[in-house]
Amino acid sequence: MLSAVCSGCENWSGFGFRAESEEMSRLRQVLALEAGKVVADVGAGKGGLTVALAREVGSKGRVFSTDIDPGRLQRLREAAAAAGLGNVTVLEGRSGETGLPPNCCDAIVLRRVYHHLTEPSATNASLLRALRPGGVLAVIDFPPPFFLGRGGFGVPMQSVSREVTGSGFELHRLIDDWPGRGPLGSYCVVFRKPQ
């Protein structure tokens, strides 16, 4: 699913996710978050977004939190336990496979993860299988500082749109002014699984 190394990305991982941020406010709308929803945070990293999502969906909801790194998986479990959240399920992903069960989610988010994908077609197919019909996929990422294409730092929004729709998703919305991280602006591309 993800590459093991992204030059420079580890330095960016220190920017945590704040539940009271503008980004979370916008995610509530994009993902139609409410109590009882089932959501996945794919490539969850340190777990800040996972914790925020778990609080949003409440005890009747569920958050699947995935990553490929065993150390991060352990930190995700610890973050959920420290927050007192019993509605988080941590799953191990692999190259080209999210690890999510079929038809498990109302919504899935990949936050600054897509540019890490080494097998985007296989990963996108896994995401499509995991969503329920009509479910929402939000891909948040940033364009490369210079046009580097796939494998560089960042990924063009047009590449994300083309690759994800090529896997069977319907394009729902392009948001080019997503709250950024550091000096780079971000975007969010929203897709739906056909009914």
Side-chain angles (χ1 to χ4, degrees):
M1 175 176 66
L2 306 175
S3 64
V5 177
C6 173
S7 177
C9 289
E10 197 57 35
N11 293 333
W12 288 72
S13 66
F15 290 82
F17 187 85
R18 294 186 341 268
E20 70 281 357
S21 68
E22 177 188 353
E23 186 172 19
M24 188 63 202
S25 175
R26 292 179 79 180
L27 266 176
R28 279 184 199 103
Q29 295 173 347
V30 166
L31 300 178
L33 292 176
E34 59 187 33
K37 289 267 186 165
V38 179
V39 183
D41 180 8
V42 173
K46 294 181 179 180
L49 178 56
T50 292
V51 169
L53 291 170
R55 289 184 174 138
E56 289 289 323
V57 300
S59 60
K60 293 184 180 180
R62 166 104 359 235
V63 174
F64 291 99
S65 184
T66 75
D67 208 285
I68 64 167
D69 179 87
R72 292 216 174 189
L73 292 169
Q74 183 57 36
R75 286 191 288 277
L76 289 168
R77 289 182 190 96
E78 291 167 0
L85 298 169
N87 61 344
V88 174
T89 301
V90 176
L91 299 171
E92 183 175 5
R94 297 180 312 279
S95 182
E97 177 57 51
T98 63
L100 295 168
N103 297 310
C104 66
C105 294
D106 300 304
I108 299 174
V109 60
L110 281 78
R111 181 175 174 262
R112 297 177 183 96
V113 169
Y114 197 88
H115 69 274
H116 290 280
L117 299 182
T118 57
E119 298 180 48
S121 294
T123 302
N124 291 337
S126 178
L127 292 166
L128 188 67
R129 284 190 302 273
L131 272 176
R132 295 174 180 153
V136 174
L137 169 66
V139 177
I140 300 164
D141 221 303
F142 51 91
F146 305 98
F147 189 78
L148 300 173
R150 175 149 303 283
F153 186 63
V155 61
M157 182 167 52
Q158 297 81 2
S159 296
V160 173
S161 179
R162 182 181 63 253
E163 291 171 5
V164 176
T165 57
S167 296
F169 283 92
E170 297 172 347
L171 179 62
H172 179 66
R173 188 172 168 203
L174 298 169
I175 306 168
D176 62 5
D177 65 342
W178 197 259
R181 185 161 128 177
L184 299 178
S186 295
Y187 59 80
C188 178
V189 187
V190 184
F191 304 92
R192 288 199 181 276
K193 180 175 180 174
Q195 292 280 355

